[in-house]
Every structure is written in structure tokens, then in C-alpha cells.
Amino acid sequence: MTISYHSTRGRAPSIAFADVLLTGLAPDGGLYVPEQWPTSAPAVAGRGYAAFAADVMWPFVEGSVERDAFESIVADAYATFDHPEVVPVSTLPDGIGLVELFHGPTLAFKDVAMQLLGRLFDYELAKRGSTVTIVGATSGDTGSAAIEAFRGRANVRIVILHPHGRTSEVQRRQMTTVVAPNVRNVAVEGTFDDCQDMVKAMFGDEQFRQDVGLAAVNSINWARVMAQVVYYHWASQRFAERDETLDVVVPTGNFGNVFAGRVAKRMGAPIDRFVVASNRNDILTQFFADGAMTIGEVEPSLSPSMDIQVSSNLERLIHELLGGDGAQVEALLRTFRAEGHIRMDESIRTRVGELWAGESLSDEQTLEVIADVYQESGVLLDPHSAVAVGAARRRSSANRQIVMATAHPAKFPDAVETATGIRPDLPPGLADLFERDEHYDVAPNDLDAVKALVKSA
Ligand SMILES: *Cc1c(COP(=O)(O)O)cnc(C)c1O
């Protein structure tokens, strides 16, 4: 079977996986989704992560990639992880399962998808004999995962904008200490939103877009969702006993991670419900509580990768809830952008409630969870994973709950130290991070200045 992809807004032609990979956003402003869904997944049955991953993802890429090449791309991607199981699972004393997604090179779950994307871009661009310039804005984890995945690749230049002085030191150093001729870091004298607006403006400038061969690897790229589907199958098969189903709790920002779980459930993973866990930026908690959303101001928190108001991947769920009607999706999202508020119909709200729940934790509650879990088990949680563990502990469910642990505690050492008095060590590969030289340009908060840097990258 060869799966084609169409836009959530229904006004763009269907395309193959290889084009989805390089295009990112559809020309009608929508997000790509598969036209058919595989209806089953292979059994883990004692196999290693990479072999299992290649089987799970195969139906989504078939027709665009040769099977042998795909298997070696996947094997190479996960050989960069520093745990033999790639995504190990463990259990806290109260029975909550942890799915450890942070054993990749930059210590956050984004490596799971980005390590694969780097290699898939290489393969596809070499086949076409073309090159691209990836431009992205980051508040931290995405930029470091992308730089690590694309550094040194022959057909890709990568420019990452970050807000000057507004990322954590670990996050900044993971980006700026990479030495590779195709990598450029730009510290913009502005906020994350300023950086993101500049990236949007560059994509909106058709001439510039063609001149530099602009490409994006932000979380709306379908290939990232696809790579994440794998670990929902992997973990749910390992945790679910015979005939059991699980609740999965996911610390959520752009909704890319938890949407991958939804795809896995569609393919038959033994999952009952999804719990979307947020920090004080709780717009998704509202949505899953009463089917309505009102945009507010982004507030900084201890879990910065979830400091988001508009979750871009929610559009893929809304497309499903509206029965795949692209015109309705477009109208609804237009209203949301224009008025800052939407409300789903009663019948849809009921359906949402059957599958989804939302919980949010304050910073104080997050620190309490980190402290309590450490005292009970000796396990150090990063603040993002702690938000999800806190959400799970607050709920009562007949199902076993498993939590997606999205970052290594050493990536957010200040919060962990505040909660426990212990400063977690960086893993051996990153132990000298604070001694390495940094390389970055500082740019004014000015689009033309940044465009000039991208052109000369
Ligand atoms: C990006 C990120 C999240 C949020 O994931 P989404 O796919 O945007 O919902 C959560 N935790 C960490 C550590 C992250 O880096």
C-alpha cells in the first residue's frame, strides 16, 4: 500500500511522503495528514527498537524510500542514543509507568524524530541532487535537536534563531558549541515570538524562499509525528498485560507528541485515553475540559518547552473531529485567529471527552512533584515530565497510567536543584559542555538584518 497525504484544509493536491518531508506546511496553510491509516502494528516480541521502528513506519513511507535504505537510516538514527534500549521504560513505586524519551544526543524527546529527519533529508536531497536551507526559531529544545541532527550534512544548511539571553544556558550551549560549516546560530535581540514571526515572514516571501531553498523541520512536519508514533506502540505493548488498556499522560506544548499517540491508537495500540498535561499555559486544559479555547498571553514557567498558547498540531485533531471537512477546519481556525476564541459543538465536545482529558500544574506543584518522586524513589524528573507525573497522580483511573518523560533532568538543572537540592550531572558525552567555545551571531530585532544573515549562511 502506498499512502498519499492531503492537507487538513482540503485545498492542496495530494502528495507522496518524500514531498511531505521537504514541504512541511501545505500551500493552503494546512497540515498534511495521511489519506489512509494502517490498521495494525507489528508486535515488539523481543525485537530491538530500530528494527521495530522501521516496521511501524514502513506503511507511511513506502513508495518514497527503498526498504533497505530505510532500514539502515532508522538503525543509524537510533544508534546515536546512549541507552541500549533507545527508549527504556521503568515504573515508579505508585505504579505509574515512565517512558524515557530523553536518551538521545540533546537529552529531549525531540531527538527521536529529528535524528531520523536529518538522515531522511540527506537521502531525499541526494536523490534529487538539490540543497535546502532550514530556518527555524527555537525557545530551546527544538533548535538543539535540529542542529545536532543536521550538522555536517552535505545538502543542508541550517540557521536557528533564538531569543538573545532568553534560553537556559544548557539549551544555548547545546546549539552554540556545535562546530560545523553548515550550522549558523543567530541570537536575536527580541523574544521567541519575534524569532518565530521572522521565520514566518521569510516563508511568506516567495522570492526569498526560492532564492535560499527554504525548508522547515518544525513540529508540524508530518515526518516528526510519524517517528513519534513508534514509541507509543513500543511502550504500550510493553506495559499492557493481556486485554489491558492504558491511559497515556503527555506533557504537551505544540500537541505533536500526543497527536502521535492518537495515530498509534488508530493503528490498534492498547490505549484507552490520553491526558494532555500543561503548565500554567493551560489553553489545552480548557479545550479538553469544555471544548472551548481562548488565547491568552504566554507566561514563562519552569517547563519552557510547553510555554505555548496556540498548539499548531491541534489542527490535525480538529480535522479528525470535523470528519475531515477541510472547509470547516479552515473556517474554524480563521475564527480562532481573528477572535481569539472558539467553541466546538456539543456532539463534538462529548466525543472529545470520551478519549481526552486535560490537567494543568503550577510551577509550585511541579516542584513538589519533583521533590516527592525523588524522596519516594530516588528518581529525578525534569520539570516537563514532572508536570505529567503530577497530572497522573491527581487523577484516578481504572487503567494503568503511563507518562511520556520528555527531557533528561540535567537539561533543566536549576528546577531540579531547587526541588531536591541535587544538581543532576550531564551524561558523559556532554560533560564538558560548559568548557566548550560558543559560536553565534547577535542580530538586531530586524527582519532585513536577519534575512541577510540567512542568505550569507
Ligand atoms: C517540545 C517539548 C514538549 C512539548 O511537546 P509537543 O510535541 O510540542 O507537545 C514537552 N517536553 C519537552 C522536554 C519538550 O522539549
Side-chain angles (χ1 to χ4, degrees):
M1 153 165 109
T2 297
I3 292 179
S4 296
Y5 294 81
H6 61 194
S7 164
T8 48
R9 302 197 182 178
R11 290 191 293 106
S14 296
I15 58 175
F17 175 79
D19 296 310
V20 171
L21 174 74
L22 298 181
T23 311
L25 199 68
D28 62 359
L31 277 57
Y32 284 109
V33 284
E35 282 180 349
Q36 305 102 44
W37 301 88
T39 49
S40 64
V44 173
R47 283 183 319 151
Y49 188 86
F52 178 69
D55 279 353
V56 171
M57 291 186 282
W58 180 246
F60 295 109
V61 304
E62 191 175 0
S64 283
V65 190
E66 294 297 322
R67 176 80 199 196
D68 287 356
F70 189 60
E71 282 177 14
S72 59
I73 285 170
V74 176
D76 283 355
Y78 297 121
T80 64
F81 280 53
D82 74 357
H83 194 288
E85 291 183 50
V86 182
V87 176
V89 300
S90 55
T91 308
L92 293 174
D94 55 8
I96 292 173
L98 284 186
V99 184
E100 300 180 13
L101 301 172
F102 50 73
H103 294 280
T106 71
L107 312 181
F109 88 96
K110 302 212 167 51
D111 290 324
V112 176
M114 216 58 100
Q115 286 295 318
L116 184 74
L117 248 68
R119 289 165 175 83
L120 285 173
F121 263 68
D122 237 11
Y123 172 88
E124 187 57 32
L125 290 169
K127 206 157 102 179
R128 297 180 185 204
S130 57
T131 60
V132 294
T133 303
I134 290 173
V135 178
T138 190
S139 55
D141 294 342
T142 303
S144 53
I147 287 172
E148 187 60 38
F150 285 91
R151 67 177 175 151
R153 301 208 174 275
N155 301 305
V156 177
R157 298 180 309 154
I158 178 162
V159 183
I160 297 292
L161 316 183
H162 71 266
H164 192 31
R166 292 177 195 242
T167 57
S168 82
E169 191 170 4
V170 173
Q171 288 177 321
R172 187 191 71 241
R173 285 182 162 275
Q174 282 183 322
M175 297 190 280
T176 59
T177 62
V178 171
V179 184
N182 69 329
V183 171
R184 186 144 191 178
N185 280 286
V186 180
V188 175
E189 290 173 321
T191 63
F192 169 66
D193 287 334
D194 294 329
C195 297
Q196 198 157 36
D197 287 346
M198 284 186 189
V199 173
K200 277 191 200 140
M202 286 184 241
F203 275 90
D205 179 343
E206 193 53 43
Q207 188 64 48
F208 182 80
R209 191 170 169 163
Q210 282 183 9
D211 288 350
V212 301
L214 222 47
V217 292
N218 51 12
S219 80
I220 55 101
N221 192 306
W222 166 259
R224 284 183 60 183
V225 174
M226 174 189 79
Q228 293 163 188
V229 171
V230 174
Y231 52 71
Y232 284 88
H233 288 295
W234 168 261
S236 61
Q237 286 188 33
R238 294 178 76 183
F239 274 113
E241 310 273 329
R242 216 154 52 93
D243 297 333
E244 195 185 9
T245 55
L246 308 164
D247 288 357
V248 185
V249 190
V250 187
T252 299
N254 256 324
F255 207 73
N257 191 357
V258 70
F259 185 77
R262 169 66 188 134
V263 175
K265 180 176 162 78
R266 270 190 117 131
M267 294 169 67
I271 296 169
D272 188 11
R273 309 188 84 200
F274 293 99
V275 182
V276 173
S278 309
N279 59 34
R280 78 169 73 134
N281 296 289
D282 62 353
I283 184 167
L284 288 172
T285 316
Q286 287 173 44
F287 183 74
F288 291 111
D290 58 13
M293 289 197 290
T294 305
I295 304 184
E297 286 285 302
V298 176
E299 306 229 16
S301 79
L302 291 177
S303 42
S305 299
M306 293 152 53
D307 292 347
I308 284 173
Q309 283 289 332
V310 180
S311 299
S312 42
N313 276 288
L314 194 65
E315 179 161 343
R316 290 191 163 107
L317 176 64
I318 288 174
H319 177 257
E320 177 194 324
L321 292 171
L322 296 177
D325 181 339
Q328 267 198 64
V329 173
E330 178 152 19
L332 190 78
L333 289 160
R334 276 245 168 94
T335 310
F336 184 49
R337 287 285 177 180
E339 295 168 15
H341 179 81
I342 47 169
R343 187 172 189 80
M344 308 299 284
D345 289 343
E346 181 65 43
S347 64
I348 290 178
R349 296 211 301 267
T350 310
R351 262 172 51 222
V352 167
E354 283 163 9
L355 188 56
W356 301 87
E359 293 282 347
S360 88
L361 269 78
S362 67
D363 279 355
E364 237 166 53
Q365 290 168 327
T366 306
L367 290 172
E368 251 169 57
V369 172
I370 298 174
D372 290 350
V373 167
Y374 178 65
Q375 287 215 323
E376 290 161 22
S377 65
V379 172
L380 291 174
L381 293 175
D382 100 284
H384 303 78
S385 311
V387 164
V389 169
R393 285 160 74 114
R394 186 188 280 170
R395 299 176 70 237
S396 63
S397 174
N399 296 322
R400 181 207 271 276
Q401 302 193 82
I402 66 173
V403 163
M404 293 294 158
T406 50
H408 190 288
K411 192 149 193 177
F412 299 94
D414 297 335
V416 176
E417 189 173 18
T418 305
T420 64
I422 292 173
R423 200 163 178 87
D425 287 331
L426 285 163
L430 285 167
D432 65 345
L433 186 67
F434 286 87
E435 278 89 66
R436 298 181 193 168
D437 289 337
E438 294 190 73
H439 309 272
Y440 60 96
D441 296 295
V442 178
N445 188 3
D446 174 68
L447 180 61
D448 288 331
V450 173
K451 274 178 155 173
L453 279 172
V454 170
K455 263 197 162 153
S456 69

